[in-house]
Amino acid sequence: MAYTTINKSTDYFNTKLYSGDGSSSQPQTGVGFQPDWVWLKSRNTTDTHALINAVNGATKFIRSNGTNIEGTDTAGLISFDTDGFTVGNSGPYGANGQNYVAWNWKANGSGSSNSNGSMTATASASTVSGFSIVNYLGNGSNGASFGHGLGVKPKVVFIKNRSTAKNPVWWQDTDDDGTSNQRLVLSGTGSNLNNYHVTFGTDTITLGNTDDAWNKSGDNFIAYCFAEKTGFSKMDYFIGNGYSNGTFVYTGFKPAWIIIKRIDSTGNWMLIDNKRLGYNPAQRDLRPNLTNAEGNDETFDILSNGFKVRTTSGDFGGGSGAVYIYMAFADKPLVGSNNVPAVAR
């Protein structure tokens, strides 16, 4: 039996809920670590998703729901702190009367130079949790590569052009062969797009086709790279069965965060976590490609070893014969490195 090397998942990923009060400095504590990537969304308004990382700096943000270039908001996320972060009074971050969710990941601070690929890169990588943030400078060459710092092949890579208005692009390898042609647009509803192969190596990611969305010469790009870690993260696919007593998906842990997308047809992305309401099956969903406020669809059971679809919605995992990719992070690992079940700790 394989055991996780991460006995406490919240050392590397955690969800923080808070309410804005409209003040210019609002510290948010209780994350459990200093985050290097924070993904924020207002739950009760249609403000944008805001994604901020420690490599590019606290006041810089991109959107999952649009093509916009990287923005600067000095009243947004002001700082990354030892036990969380501080926000200002900007609408997507800390407006009075708004409720927020912040998903937090730990990498390795502001990063360091990585010369493994053909493009200049700065990588902040956690080899323990299988997560890295990479800032690279595009060179416009077919077959260009950048170093990701993980030391193992990633399963998911999400790239956004920071300098030119382009869609954020998501690649996922579901065949375990290191080559992904599962290309999706995070800001859109489209199905899988072929002929844009990307090779995931142990040290580098090689871009098989030139496109301004991921390798325009002279533009700055941000890449979020994820490798599977037993008991902590899982990236795979499942098939919907068309029934409200839907597909069970085994992850090997109790999920804290799940994102899914239908890839054989159009459909919205869906994102749930274990903090917003947090009981089955009435999870609260947000949609990374839309600015919609939080929905209250009864869609999933979050279980001790995975999740179960509880809807016939084609968007949310219930389409008969439909194919869905997903990525999940753990609340509690099923087993720990000391061979003791997680529930006993």
Side-chain angles (χ1 to χ4, degrees), residues 43-175:
R43 300 170 61 192
N44 56 329
T45 73
T46 57
D47 273 325
T48 188
H49 293 256
L51 287 64
I52 312 99
N53 69 76
V55 176
N56 295 336
T59 62
K60 304 290 186 182
F61 71 96
I62 60 169
R63 299 169 172 87
S64 64
N65 52 274
T67 62
N68 311 61
I69 65 172
E70 181 180 77
T72 301
D73 192 343
T74 57
L77 195 146
I78 298 169
S79 64
F80 298 99
D81 306 330
T82 56
D83 188 28
F85 53 89
T86 297
V87 295
N89 55 14
S90 180
Y93 304 88
N96 188 39
Q98 290 192 29
N99 297 321
Y100 295 89
V101 58
W103 302 295
N104 302 268
W105 286 262
K106 181 177 177 58
N108 192 22
S110 58
S112 58
S113 177
N114 185 306
S115 58
N116 287 331
S118 63
M119 295 184 284
T120 303
T122 300
S124 173
S126 169
T127 57
V128 176
S129 64
F131 170 57
S132 69
I133 306 164
V134 184
N135 186 8
Y136 68 89
L137 182 68
N139 65 12
S141 299
N142 188 38
S145 61
F146 61 88
H148 54 68
L150 295 177
V152 295
K153 292 179 181 179
K155 290 276 287 187
V156 169
V157 178
F158 156 38
I159 294 176
K160 176 69 177 77
N161 189 325
R162 300 167 54 208
S163 307
T164 300
K166 291 290 179 180
N167 287 303
V169 182
W170 178 290
W171 281 275
Q172 184 157 333
D173 175 22
T174 56
D175 298 322

Side-chain angles (χ1 to χ4, degrees), residues 21-334:
D21 63 19
S23 63
S24 60
S25 180
Q26 303 172 53
Q28 306 301 328
T29 60
V31 171
F33 55 86
Q34 181 167 316
D36 299 308
W37 183 32
V38 180
W39 181 338
L40 280 157
K41 179 68 177 77
S42 170
R43 300 170 61 192
N44 56 329
T45 73
T46 57
D47 273 325
T48 188
H49 293 256
L51 287 64
I52 312 99
N53 69 76
V55 176
N56 295 336
T59 62
K60 304 290 186 182
F61 71 96
I62 60 169
R63 299 169 172 87
S64 64
N65 52 274
T67 62
N68 311 61
I69 65 172
E70 181 180 77
T72 301
D73 192 343
T74 57
L77 195 146
I78 298 169
S79 64
F80 298 99
D81 306 330
T82 56
D83 188 28
F85 53 89
T86 297
V87 295
N89 55 14
S90 180
Y93 304 88
N96 188 39
Q98 290 192 29
N99 297 321
Y100 295 89
V101 58
W103 302 295
N104 302 268
W105 286 262
K106 181 177 177 58
N108 192 22
S110 58
S112 58
S113 177
N114 185 306
S115 58
N116 287 331
S118 63
M119 295 184 284
T120 303
T122 300
S124 173
S126 169
T127 57
V128 176
S129 64
F131 170 57
S132 69
I133 306 164
V134 184
N135 186 8
Y136 68 89
L137 182 68
N139 65 12
S141 299
N142 188 38
S145 61
F146 61 88
H148 54 68
L150 295 177
V152 295
K153 292 179 181 179
K155 290 276 287 187
V156 169
V157 178
F158 156 38
I159 294 176
K160 176 69 177 77
N161 189 325
R162 300 167 54 208
S163 307
T164 300
K166 291 290 179 180
N167 287 303
V169 182
W170 178 290
W171 281 275
Q172 184 157 333
D173 175 22
T174 56
D175 298 322
D176 295 315
D177 63 355
T179 302
S180 174
N181 65 349
Q182 305 290 347
R183 184 176 76 88
L184 297 157
V185 175
L186 188 57
S187 58
T189 61
S191 58
N192 176 48
L193 300 170
N194 292 311
N195 302 319
Y196 289 91
H197 294 259
V198 171
T199 302
F200 299 155
T202 56
D203 296 311
T204 61
I205 294 164
T206 302
L207 305 173
N209 299 72
T210 299
D211 191 285
D212 287 356
W214 54 83
N215 190 19
K216 183 179 180 181
S217 181
D219 276 9
N220 289 301
F221 294 82
I222 192 69
Y224 297 99
C225 309
F226 304 89
E228 279 190 347
K229 293 294 180 178
T230 301
F232 175 71
S233 59
K234 184 71 175 175
M235 302 120 199
D236 210 335
Y237 71 96
F238 67 90
I239 309 297
N241 66 12
Y243 298 100
S244 57
N245 184 14
T247 303
F248 166 70
V249 180
Y250 178 81
T251 60
F253 51 79
K254 182 181 180 181
W257 187 93
I258 306 165
I259 189 171
I260 74 166
K261 174 70 175 72
R262 185 170 181 173
I263 64 172
D264 65 325
S265 183
T266 58
N268 291 301
W269 294 78
M270 192 193 75
L271 199 163
I272 64 170
D273 61 64
N274 64 335
K275 296 288 182 68
R276 292 175 295 133
L277 197 65
Y279 56 81
N280 297 326
Q283 309 300 332
R284 297 293 188 250
D285 69 86
L286 285 164
R287 307 181 188 191
N289 58 300
L290 300 172
T291 61
N292 293 27
E294 183 177 84
N296 59 357
D297 303 285
E298 297 189 356
T299 52
F300 283 95
D301 285 344
I302 294 178
L303 306 172
S304 63
N305 58 353
F307 61 94
K308 185 174 179 61
V309 178
R310 292 290 189 183
T311 178
T312 58
S313 167
D315 273 5
F316 296 161
S320 179
V323 183
Y324 300 86
I325 58 167
Y326 73 90
M327 180 165 68
F329 291 91
D331 174 20
K332 296 180 177 64
L334 189 61

